[in-house]
Amino acid sequence: MKRNIGRIDKADFPKLELEDIEVKIDTGAFTSSIHCTDVTIENDYLKCRFLDEEHPQYHNKEFIFDQYDVKIVKSSNGESQTRYRIHTEILLFGKKHPIFLTLSDRKEMKFPVLLGRNFLTKKFVVDINKTNLSHKLKAKQK
């Protein structure tokens, strides 16, 4: 059964050591993405840091991935970009879900994470009149 999710929320990414990260639900986007800095490839390992120094949850930890791939993503302005993509977990409504995230410079964007249709399909129905449904449930359970 699909669960309602609002147009924005806050989610945890346990494997990335990130909690209460603002996410924008975007049914116009196919892929999901996360703000990432210092992305490099060394000896076939992907290295990066999530968020940036201005973000309150920034922890300056370098993450190293031995499993990743490259995707071509069409941005909202119609330009194609080549992005690295990782597989991780997102925690919403008290449940862990597998998710593919492309690594993107979202510094100029209000939300560091964008959740697209590929993740939302078969799990959620978007109610644009609601916000923070998962985060409110998490706060209530504490």
Side-chain angles (χ1 to χ4, degrees):
M1 182 166 152
K2 294 181 184 180
R3 179 149 207 169
N4 279 0
I5 192 167
R7 68 182 182 276
I8 60 172
D9 215 320
K10 291 184 181 178
D12 298 341
F13 297 86
K15 291 182 177 180
L16 308 180
E17 300 176 34
L18 297 170
E19 291 186 3
D20 295 333
I21 303 300
E22 292 182 308
V23 298
K24 178 180 179 184
I25 312 306
D26 187 350
T27 60
F30 181 73
T31 57
S32 300
S33 64
I34 188 167
H35 179 50
C36 198
T37 60
D38 304 325
V39 180
T40 60
I41 301 292
E42 292 180 27
N43 300 322
D44 290 330
Y45 288 93
L46 175 89
K47 297 181 179 184
C48 65
R49 297 180 199 285
F50 294 99
L51 310 177
D52 57 49
E53 294 172 1
E54 287 80 37
H55 196 281
Q57 286 5 45
Y58 180 71
H59 49 48
N60 195 29
K61 292 181 183 171
E62 182 179 67
F63 285 81
I64 300 172
F65 298 91
D66 60 353
Q67 294 184 4
Y68 60 92
D69 61 6
V70 177
K71 284 297 204 191
I72 296 179
V73 177
K74 195 175 278 191
S75 65
S76 59
N77 62 9
E79 291 181 25
S80 292
Q81 298 176 336
T82 301
R83 295 185 191 167
Y84 294 105
R85 184 178 75 160
I86 60 166
H87 189 256
T88 189
E89 293 177 341
I90 184 173
L91 183 64
L92 286 167
F93 299 100
K95 183 178 177 190
K96 288 181 185 175
H97 301 273
I99 187 170
F100 284 102
L101 294 171
T102 62
L103 308 183
S104 176
D105 180 353
R106 295 186 54 81
K107 185 174 185 160
E108 302 302 318
M109 307 295 184
K110 183 176 179 183
F111 296 92
V113 175
L114 188 88
L115 298 181
R117 291 189 315 269
N118 197 31
F119 171 72
L120 299 167
T121 301
K122 298 181 181 172
K123 293 185 232 16
F124 299 100
V125 174
V126 181
D127 184 340
I128 61 167
N129 297 308
K130 306 282 184 179
T131 60
N132 297 317
L133 296 177
S134 175
H135 187 66
K136 288 174 186 172
L137 178 66
K138 179 182 173 182
K140 192 184 288 187
Q141 291 175 341
K142 284 188 173 183

